[in-house]
Amino acid sequence: MKLNVCLHKQGCMFGVSVLILCLIIAVILGLLAGPGNPLTWFLIAALLIIPYMHKKLSARHYVEWKNEYSVGIDSIDHQHKKLLNLINQLQTAVDYSTGEEFERDALNELVNYTKTHFSYEEDLLKQNNYPDFAPHKKQHENMVKHVAEVLAEYEKDRDTAMSNAANYLKDWLVNHINGTDKKYSHFLIEKGVR
Ligand code: FEO
């Protein structure tokens, strides 16, 4: 499985590179034969479209901050934005052959920053006697537990674990930020937290 995913990633990049190279050669030969051939111009257009299409398809895997995710508290919004950036870093490791060191750094940075953020948020909720503090904390704990399982899986099968981690974290964080976290927004702002 590990080798298959790795070969798939490298195979995709190799395939795109070969396609671009073939198109460049075909365009050069077409131009040398005379610029009047419409096929040459079609190939030039294809050559220009490939990077755009590649960017578009890759972007679908990444999460983007939206204003609707804001909880109205700058420090927390800032931390949530950083978490989404760290998940995108993890997604880069899933999509490209970035190497084990990059993968481990991306995972560790995300895990550590997630714990820092949860701790910050829980302190704020506790200090302000947020009534749903316990279930909120429980959600954080469940997520940390799941990530620990992913880290254990990483030692057995790197590529599958990275892919599972990125998919799980994207879904979990966006839903949590935009759902559970939003619920404390009004309460904390009323208490004067900015
Ligand atoms: Fe922002 Fe409850 O995590």
Side-chain angles (χ1 to χ4, degrees):
M1 181 64 153
K2 192 194 280 187
L3 185 64
N4 281 348
V5 180
C6 188
L7 286 175
H8 176 70
K9 278 194 222 175
Q10 290 174 349
C12 285
M13 283 193 275
F14 180 73
V16 172
S17 304
V18 168
L19 178 64
I20 290 174
L21 187 63
C22 289
L23 282 172
I24 290 172
I25 292 169
V27 165
I28 291 170
L29 290 175
L31 289 173
L32 286 175
N37 189 341
L39 179 62
T40 305
W41 294 102
F42 174 77
L43 293 176
I44 290 173
L47 204 50
L48 294 174
I49 284 171
I50 286 175
Y52 171 78
M53 291 300 292
H54 183 257
K55 197 176 168 191
K56 272 277 190 197
L57 289 171
S58 300
R60 288 192 312 174
H61 295 171
Y62 292 90
V63 278
E64 203 179 328
W65 173 262
K66 294 178 184 162
N67 286 338
E68 69 196 57
Y69 296 161
S70 172
V71 294
I73 298 163
D74 285 347
S75 57
I76 293 184
D77 282 349
H78 174 79
Q79 291 176 12
H80 286 160
K81 284 177 191 170
K82 180 160 180 179
L83 280 172
L84 295 188
N85 284 338
L86 292 174
I87 288 176
N88 286 335
Q89 188 171 273
L90 201 66
Q91 187 63 53
T92 299
V94 172
D95 288 348
Y96 301 95
S97 296
T98 51
E100 189 174 343
E101 191 180 346
F102 183 92
E103 288 175 4
R104 283 190 186 276
D105 286 350
L107 264 175
N108 288 334
E109 203 178 345
L110 180 56
V111 169
N112 291 336
Y113 194 73
T114 301
K115 287 178 182 168
T116 301
H117 167 64
F118 285 172
S119 169
Y120 177 88
E121 199 176 82
E122 285 165 16
D123 283 349
L124 210 50
L125 295 176
K126 200 170 181 181
Q127 283 161 13
N128 287 283
N129 298 315
Y130 180 57
D132 286 333
F133 172 74
H136 196 125
K137 190 173 191 295
K138 186 73 186 161
Q139 281 199 21
H140 289 171
E141 286 169 354
N142 288 342
M143 191 269 209
V144 170
K145 197 173 155 208
H146 185 90
V147 170
E149 287 165 10
V150 169
L151 289 176
E153 188 187 357
Y154 182 83
E155 302 307 326
K156 294 183 217 144
D157 185 344
R158 277 171 47 199
D159 291 303
T160 306
M162 290 296 285
S163 178
N164 288 344
N167 288 334
Y168 169 77
L169 290 169
K170 269 189 286 186
D171 280 352
W172 192 94
L173 268 173
V174 169
N175 286 328
H176 182 81
I177 289 170
N178 206 29
T180 312
D181 283 355
K182 288 280 271 293
K183 287 181 187 163
Y184 64 60
S185 175
H186 182 69
F187 178 86
L188 287 185
I189 292 170
E190 287 269 289
K191 294 265 185 181
V193 179
R194 296 288 182 269

PDB file of all heavy atoms in Angstrom, residues 130-156:
ATOM      1  N   TYR A 130     -18.065  29.495  31.197  1.00  0.00           N
ATOM      2  CA  TYR A 130     -18.899  29.128  30.041  1.00  0.00           C
ATOM      3  C   TYR A 130     -19.724  27.889  30.401  1.00  0.00           C
ATOM      4  O   TYR A 130     -19.169  26.867  30.813  1.00  0.00           O
ATOM      5  CB  TYR A 130     -18.002  28.861  28.832  1.00  0.00           C
ATOM      6  CG  TYR A 130     -18.729  28.470  27.577  1.00  0.00           C
ATOM      7  CD1 TYR A 130     -19.714  29.297  27.029  1.00  0.00           C
ATOM      8  CD2 TYR A 130     -18.416  27.281  26.915  1.00  0.00           C
ATOM      9  CE1 TYR A 130     -20.378  28.953  25.862  1.00  0.00           C
ATOM     10  CE2 TYR A 130     -19.075  26.923  25.740  1.00  0.00           C
ATOM     11  CZ  TYR A 130     -20.050  27.764  25.225  1.00  0.00           C
ATOM     12  OH  TYR A 130     -20.713  27.406  24.062  1.00  0.00           O
ATOM     13  N   PRO A 131     -21.055  27.931  30.254  1.00  0.00           N
ATOM     14  CA  PRO A 131     -21.880  26.813  30.735  1.00  0.00           C
ATOM     15  C   PRO A 131     -21.643  25.491  29.996  1.00  0.00           C
ATOM     16  O   PRO A 131     -21.804  24.421  30.585  1.00  0.00           O
ATOM     17  CB  PRO A 131     -23.325  27.312  30.522  1.00  0.00           C
ATOM     18  CG  PRO A 131     -23.224  28.513  29.652  1.00  0.00           C
ATOM     19  CD  PRO A 131     -21.864  29.076  29.796  1.00  0.00           C
ATOM     20  N   ASP A 132     -21.257  25.539  28.726  1.00  0.00           N
ATOM     21  CA  ASP A 132     -21.022  24.294  27.967  1.00  0.00           C
ATOM     22  C   ASP A 132     -19.532  23.936  27.909  1.00  0.00           C
ATOM     23  O   ASP A 132     -19.082  23.288  26.946  1.00  0.00           O
ATOM     24  CB  ASP A 132     -21.578  24.431  26.544  1.00  0.00           C
ATOM     25  CG  ASP A 132     -23.096  24.365  26.540  1.00  0.00           C
ATOM     26  OD1 ASP A 132     -23.663  23.737  27.462  1.00  0.00           O
ATOM     27  OD2 ASP A 132     -23.707  24.955  25.637  1.00  0.00           O
ATOM     28  N   PHE A 133     -18.817  24.352  28.946  1.00  0.00           N
ATOM     29  CA  PHE A 133     -17.372  24.101  28.953  1.00  0.00           C
ATOM     30  C   PHE A 133     -17.041  22.603  28.851  1.00  0.00           C
ATOM     31  O   PHE A 133     -16.211  22.190  28.045  1.00  0.00           O
ATOM     32  CB  PHE A 133     -16.758  24.681  30.234  1.00  0.00           C
ATOM     33  CG  PHE A 133     -15.312  24.302  30.415  1.00  0.00           C
ATOM     34  CD1 PHE A 133     -14.323  24.886  29.639  1.00  0.00           C
ATOM     35  CD2 PHE A 133     -14.940  23.341  31.349  1.00  0.00           C
ATOM     36  CE1 PHE A 133     -12.994  24.524  29.786  1.00  0.00           C
ATOM     37  CE2 PHE A 133     -13.611  22.973  31.508  1.00  0.00           C
ATOM     38  CZ  PHE A 133     -12.639  23.567  30.728  1.00  0.00           C
ATOM     39  N   ALA A 134     -17.712  21.780  29.673  1.00  0.00           N
ATOM     40  CA  ALA A 134     -17.371  20.339  29.733  1.00  0.00           C
ATOM     41  C   ALA A 134     -17.556  19.631  28.384  1.00  0.00           C
ATOM     42  O   ALA A 134     -16.619  18.957  27.918  1.00  0.00           O
ATOM     43  CB  ALA A 134     -18.176  19.656  30.833  1.00  0.00           C
ATOM     44  N   PRO A 135     -18.741  19.763  27.723  1.00  0.00           N
ATOM     45  CA  PRO A 135     -18.854  19.085  26.421  1.00  0.00           C
ATOM     46  C   PRO A 135     -17.900  19.629  25.357  1.00  0.00           C
ATOM     47  O   PRO A 135     -17.431  18.893  24.497  1.00  0.00           O
ATOM     48  CB  PRO A 135     -20.320  19.319  26.009  1.00  0.00           C
ATOM     49  CG  PRO A 135     -20.869  20.339  26.923  1.00  0.00           C
ATOM     50  CD  PRO A 135     -20.016  20.351  28.157  1.00  0.00           C
ATOM     51  N   HIS A 136     -17.595  20.934  25.470  1.00  0.00           N
ATOM     52  CA  HIS A 136     -16.653  21.511  24.506  1.00  0.00           C
ATOM     53  C   HIS A 136     -15.259  20.890  24.700  1.00  0.00           C
ATOM     54  O   HIS A 136     -14.606  20.462  23.740  1.00  0.00           O
ATOM     55  CB  HIS A 136     -16.586  23.037  24.689  1.00  0.00           C
ATOM     56  CG  HIS A 136     -15.950  23.741  23.524  1.00  0.00           C
ATOM     57  ND1 HIS A 136     -16.551  24.757  22.838  1.00  0.00           N
ATOM     58  CD2 HIS A 136     -14.770  23.542  22.909  1.00  0.00           C
ATOM     59  CE1 HIS A 136     -15.761  25.160  21.859  1.00  0.00           C
ATOM     60  NE2 HIS A 136     -14.661  24.437  21.893  1.00  0.00           N
ATOM     61  N   LYS A 137     -14.854  20.818  25.961  1.00  0.00           N
ATOM     62  CA  LYS A 137     -13.538  20.230  26.279  1.00  0.00           C
ATOM     63  C   LYS A 137     -13.491  18.769  25.821  1.00  0.00           C
ATOM     64  O   LYS A 137     -12.474  18.284  25.325  1.00  0.00           O
ATOM     65  CB  LYS A 137     -13.286  20.345  27.784  1.00  0.00           C
ATOM     66  CG  LYS A 137     -11.876  19.995  28.212  1.00  0.00           C
ATOM     67  CD  LYS A 137     -11.696  20.322  29.691  1.00  0.00           C
ATOM     68  CE  LYS A 137     -10.260  20.252  30.149  1.00  0.00           C
ATOM     69  NZ  LYS A 137      -9.659  18.956  30.108  1.00  0.00           N
ATOM     70  N   LYS A 138     -14.615  18.082  25.989  1.00  0.00           N
ATOM     71  CA  LYS A 138     -14.686  16.669  25.605  1.00  0.00           C
ATOM     72  C   LYS A 138     -14.425  16.506  24.104  1.00  0.00           C
ATOM     73  O   LYS A 138     -13.740  15.579  23.677  1.00  0.00           O
ATOM     74  CB  LYS A 138     -16.080  16.122  25.978  1.00  0.00           C
ATOM     75  CG  LYS A 138     -16.241  14.648  25.776  1.00  0.00           C
ATOM     76  CD  LYS A 138     -15.484  13.880  26.853  1.00  0.00           C
ATOM     77  CE  LYS A 138     -15.514  12.384  26.581  1.00  0.00           C
ATOM     78  NZ  LYS A 138     -14.472  11.671  27.307  1.00  0.00           N
ATOM     79  N   GLN A 139     -14.996  17.427  23.318  1.00  0.00           N
ATOM     80  CA  GLN A 139     -14.766  17.366  21.865  1.00  0.00           C
ATOM     81  C   GLN A 139     -13.276  17.527  21.555  1.00  0.00           C
ATOM     82  O   GLN A 139     -12.728  16.834  20.697  1.00  0.00           O
ATOM     83  CB  GLN A 139     -15.551  18.472  21.153  1.00  0.00           C
ATOM     84  CG  GLN A 139     -17.014  18.162  20.975  1.00  0.00           C
ATOM     85  CD  GLN A 139     -17.651  19.025  19.879  1.00  0.00           C
ATOM     86  OE1 GLN A 139     -16.987  19.563  18.999  1.00  0.00           O
ATOM     87  NE2 GLN A 139     -18.960  19.159  19.946  1.00  0.00           N
ATOM     88  N   HIS A 140     -12.627  18.468  22.266  1.00  0.00           N
ATOM     89  CA  HIS A 140     -11.180  18.657  22.076  1.00  0.00           C
ATOM     90  C   HIS A 140     -10.437  17.366  22.416  1.00  0.00           C
ATOM     91  O   HIS A 140      -9.546  16.934  21.679  1.00  0.00           O
ATOM     92  CB  HIS A 140     -10.660  19.777  22.978  1.00  0.00           C
ATOM     93  CG  HIS A 140     -11.106  21.151  22.564  1.00  0.00           C
ATOM     94  ND1 HIS A 140     -10.888  22.263  23.352  1.00  0.00           N
ATOM     95  CD2 HIS A 140     -11.760  21.599  21.463  1.00  0.00           C
ATOM     96  CE1 HIS A 140     -11.366  23.338  22.749  1.00  0.00           C
ATOM     97  NE2 HIS A 140     -11.913  22.955  21.597  1.00  0.00           N
ATOM     98  N   GLU A 141     -10.802  16.768  23.538  1.00  0.00           N
ATOM     99  CA  GLU A 141     -10.104  15.547  23.992  1.00  0.00           C
ATOM    100  C   GLU A 141     -10.271  14.410  22.991  1.00  0.00           C
ATOM    101  O   GLU A 141      -9.322  13.684  22.696  1.00  0.00           O
ATOM    102  CB  GLU A 141     -10.634  15.123  25.360  1.00  0.00           C
ATOM    103  CG  GLU A 141     -10.144  16.018  26.487  1.00  0.00           C
ATOM    104  CD  GLU A 141     -10.873  15.788  27.812  1.00  0.00           C
ATOM    105  OE1 GLU A 141     -11.850  14.999  27.840  1.00  0.00           O
ATOM    106  OE2 GLU A 141     -10.482  16.428  28.796  1.00  0.00           O
ATOM    107  N   ASN A 142     -11.477  14.262  22.451  1.00  0.00           N
ATOM    108  CA  ASN A 142     -11.728  13.201  21.464  1.00  0.00           C
ATOM    109  C   ASN A 142     -10.882  13.414  20.213  1.00  0.00           C
ATOM    110  O   ASN A 142     -10.368  12.461  19.626  1.00  0.00           O
ATOM    111  CB  ASN A 142     -13.213  13.155  21.082  1.00  0.00           C
ATOM    112  CG  ASN A 142     -14.058  12.590  22.206  1.00  0.00           C
ATOM    113  OD1 ASN A 142     -13.545  11.944  23.116  1.00  0.00           O
ATOM    114  ND2 ASN A 142     -15.355  12.855  22.165  1.00  0.00           N
ATOM    115  N   MET A 143     -10.759  14.677  19.833  1.00  0.00           N
ATOM    116  CA  MET A 143      -9.976  14.973  18.636  1.00  0.00           C
ATOM    117  C   MET A 143      -8.500  14.654  18.872  1.00  0.00           C
ATOM    118  O   MET A 143      -7.848  14.018  18.038  1.00  0.00           O
ATOM    119  CB  MET A 143     -10.167  16.452  18.274  1.00  0.00           C
ATOM    120  CG  MET A 143      -9.618  16.815  16.930  1.00  0.00           C
ATOM    121  SD  MET A 143      -7.918  17.360  17.037  1.00  0.00           S
ATOM    122  CE  MET A 143      -7.866  18.457  15.639  1.00  0.00           C
ATOM    123  N   VAL A 144      -7.976  15.053  20.030  1.00  0.00           N
ATOM    124  CA  VAL A 144      -6.562  14.780  20.360  1.00  0.00           C
ATOM    125  C   VAL A 144      -6.320  13.265  20.402  1.00  0.00           C
ATOM    126  O   VAL A 144      -5.296  12.775  19.918  1.00  0.00           O
ATOM    127  CB  VAL A 144      -6.180  15.456  21.701  1.00  0.00           C
ATOM    128  CG1 VAL A 144      -4.821  14.987  22.195  1.00  0.00           C
ATOM    129  CG2 VAL A 144      -6.189  16.974  21.539  1.00  0.00           C
ATOM    130  N   LYS A 145      -7.303  12.542  20.923  1.00  0.00           N
ATOM    131  CA  LYS A 145      -7.188  11.082  20.990  1.00  0.00           C
ATOM    132  C   LYS A 145      -7.126  10.478  19.580  1.00  0.00           C
ATOM    133  O   LYS A 145      -6.306   9.595  19.295  1.00  0.00           O
ATOM    134  CB  LYS A 145      -8.418  10.531  21.740  1.00  0.00           C
ATOM    135  CG  LYS A 145      -8.258   9.118  22.236  1.00  0.00           C
ATOM    136  CD  LYS A 145      -9.458   8.740  23.095  1.00  0.00           C
ATOM    137  CE  LYS A 145      -9.637   7.229  23.069  1.00  0.00           C
ATOM    138  NZ  LYS A 145     -10.997   6.818  23.266  1.00  0.00           N
ATOM    139  N   HIS A 146      -7.983  10.985  18.712  1.00  0.00           N
ATOM    140  CA  HIS A 146      -7.992  10.472  17.341  1.00  0.00           C
ATOM    141  C   HIS A 146      -6.655  10.767  16.654  1.00  0.00           C
ATOM    142  O   HIS A 146      -6.117   9.928  15.925  1.00  0.00           O
ATOM    143  CB  HIS A 146      -9.145  11.102  16.554  1.00  0.00           C
ATOM    144  CG  HIS A 146      -9.289  10.526  15.178  1.00  0.00           C
ATOM    145  ND1 HIS A 146     -10.088   9.438  14.908  1.00  0.00           N
ATOM    146  CD2 HIS A 146      -8.706  10.851  13.988  1.00  0.00           C
ATOM    147  CE1 HIS A 146      -9.998   9.137  13.625  1.00  0.00           C
ATOM    148  NE2 HIS A 146      -9.172   9.981  13.045  1.00  0.00           N
ATOM    149  N   VAL A 147      -6.134  11.962  16.878  1.00  0.00           N
ATOM    150  CA  VAL A 147      -4.859  12.328  16.244  1.00  0.00           C
ATOM    151  C   VAL A 147      -3.724  11.448  16.780  1.00  0.00           C
ATOM    152  O   VAL A 147      -2.820  11.062  16.022  1.00  0.00           O
ATOM    153  CB  VAL A 147      -4.561  13.840  16.452  1.00  0.00           C
ATOM    154  CG1 VAL A 147      -3.146  14.185  16.027  1.00  0.00           C
ATOM    155  CG2 VAL A 147      -5.557  14.676  15.659  1.00  0.00           C
ATOM    156  N   ALA A 148      -3.797  11.095  18.039  1.00  0.00           N
ATOM    157  CA  ALA A 148      -2.768  10.188  18.609  1.00  0.00           C
ATOM    158  C   ALA A 148      -2.819   8.839  17.887  1.00  0.00           C
ATOM    159  O   ALA A 148      -1.775   8.223  17.630  1.00  0.00           O
ATOM    160  CB  ALA A 148      -3.007  10.013  20.103  1.00  0.00           C
ATOM    161  N   GLU A 149      -4.029   8.390  17.557  1.00  0.00           N
ATOM    162  CA  GLU A 149      -4.173   7.126  16.814  1.00  0.00           C
ATOM    163  C   GLU A 149      -3.569   7.252  15.412  1.00  0.00           C
ATOM    164  O   GLU A 149      -2.929   6.330  14.906  1.00  0.00           O
ATOM    165  CB  GLU A 149      -5.659   6.745  16.709  1.00  0.00           C
ATOM    166  CG  GLU A 149      -6.240   6.247  18.024  1.00  0.00           C
ATOM    167  CD  GLU A 149      -7.770   6.217  18.051  1.00  0.00           C
ATOM    168  OE1 GLU A 149      -8.401   6.407  16.996  1.00  0.00           O
ATOM    169  OE2 GLU A 149      -8.319   6.017  19.142  1.00  0.00           O
ATOM    170  N   VAL A 150      -3.759   8.438  14.810  1.00  0.00           N
ATOM    171  CA  VAL A 150      -3.190   8.675  13.482  1.00  0.00           C
ATOM    172  C   VAL A 150      -1.667   8.626  13.559  1.00  0.00           C
ATOM    173  O   VAL A 150      -0.997   8.059  12.686  1.00  0.00           O
ATOM    174  CB  VAL A 150      -3.656  10.046  12.920  1.00  0.00           C
ATOM    175  CG1 VAL A 150      -2.873  10.417  11.680  1.00  0.00           C
ATOM    176  CG2 VAL A 150      -5.137  10.011  12.602  1.00  0.00           C
ATOM    177  N   LEU A 151      -1.120   9.225  14.612  1.00  0.00           N
ATOM    178  CA  LEU A 151       0.344   9.236  14.766  1.00  0.00           C
ATOM    179  C   LEU A 151       0.883   7.814  14.910  1.00  0.00           C
ATOM    180  O   LEU A 151       1.940   7.487  14.365  1.00  0.00           O
ATOM    181  CB  LEU A 151       0.752  10.079  15.978  1.00  0.00           C
ATOM    182  CG  LEU A 151       0.561  11.589  15.827  1.00  0.00           C
ATOM    183  CD1 LEU A 151       0.909  12.303  17.121  1.00  0.00           C
ATOM    184  CD2 LEU A 151       1.404  12.128  14.690  1.00  0.00           C
ATOM    185  N   ALA A 152       0.133   6.967  15.610  1.00  0.00           N
ATOM    186  CA  ALA A 152       0.553   5.569  15.768  1.00  0.00           C
ATOM    187  C   ALA A 152       0.466   4.858  14.411  1.00  0.00           C
ATOM    188  O   ALA A 152       1.350   4.068  14.059  1.00  0.00           O
ATOM    189  CB  ALA A 152      -0.340   4.877  16.793  1.00  0.00           C
ATOM    190  N   GLU A 153      -0.571   5.194  13.643  1.00  0.00           N
ATOM    191  CA  GLU A 153      -0.755   4.600  12.310  1.00  0.00           C
ATOM    192  C   GLU A 153       0.389   5.037  11.378  1.00  0.00           C
ATOM    193  O   GLU A 153       0.828   4.277  10.515  1.00  0.00           O
ATOM    194  CB  GLU A 153      -2.108   5.075  11.751  1.00  0.00           C
ATOM    195  CG  GLU A 153      -2.552   4.404  10.471  1.00  0.00           C
ATOM    196  CD  GLU A 153      -3.816   5.046   9.881  1.00  0.00           C
ATOM    197  OE1 GLU A 153      -4.364   5.975  10.502  1.00  0.00           O
ATOM    198  OE2 GLU A 153      -4.210   4.627   8.794  1.00  0.00           O
ATOM    199  N   TYR A 154       0.863   6.277  11.599  1.00  0.00           N
ATOM    200  CA  TYR A 154       1.924   6.819  10.744  1.00  0.00           C
ATOM    201  C   TYR A 154       3.184   5.946  10.792  1.00  0.00           C
ATOM    202  O   TYR A 154       3.873   5.780   9.798  1.00  0.00           O
ATOM    203  CB  TYR A 154       2.261   8.255  11.175  1.00  0.00           C
ATOM    204  CG  TYR A 154       3.319   8.901  10.316  1.00  0.00           C
ATOM    205  CD1 TYR A 154       2.966   9.503   9.108  1.00  0.00           C
ATOM    206  CD2 TYR A 154       4.655   8.884  10.684  1.00  0.00           C
ATOM    207  CE1 TYR A 154       3.933  10.080   8.302  1.00  0.00           C
ATOM    208  CE2 TYR A 154       5.620   9.463   9.879  1.00  0.00           C
ATOM    209  CZ  TYR A 154       5.259  10.058   8.698  1.00  0.00           C
ATOM    210  OH  TYR A 154       6.226  10.631   7.881  1.00  0.00           O
ATOM    211  N   GLU A 155       3.445   5.380  11.952  1.00  0.00           N
ATOM    212  CA  GLU A 155       4.641   4.550  12.100  1.00  0.00           C
ATOM    213  C   GLU A 155       4.525   3.254  11.286  1.00  0.00           C
ATOM    214  O   GLU A 155       5.531   2.637  10.956  1.00  0.00           O
ATOM    215  CB  GLU A 155       4.896   4.219  13.574  1.00  0.00           C
ATOM    216  CG  GLU A 155       5.071   5.443  14.470  1.00  0.00           C
ATOM    217  CD  GLU A 155       6.151   6.418  13.963  1.00  0.00           C
ATOM    218  OE1 GLU A 155       7.143   5.949  13.382  1.00  0.00           O
ATOM    219  OE2 GLU A 155       5.962   7.639  14.131  1.00  0.00           O
ATOM    220  N   LYS A 156       3.277   2.862  10.946  1.00  0.00           N
ATOM    221  CA  LYS A 156       3.094   1.608  10.187  1.00  0.00           C
ATOM    222  C   LYS A 156       2.922   1.879   8.689  1.00  0.00           C
ATOM    223  O   LYS A 156       3.390   1.127   7.860  1.00  0.00           O
ATOM    224  CB  LYS A 156       1.848   0.871  10.702  1.00  0.00           C
ATOM    225  CG  LYS A 156       1.982   0.384  12.128  1.00  0.00           C
ATOM    226  CD  LYS A 156       0.718  -0.386  12.521  1.00  0.00           C
ATOM    227  CE  LYS A 156       0.355  -0.132  13.969  1.00  0.00           C
ATOM    228  NZ  LYS A 156      -1.059  -0.061  14.216  1.00  0.00           N
TER     229      LYS A 156
END
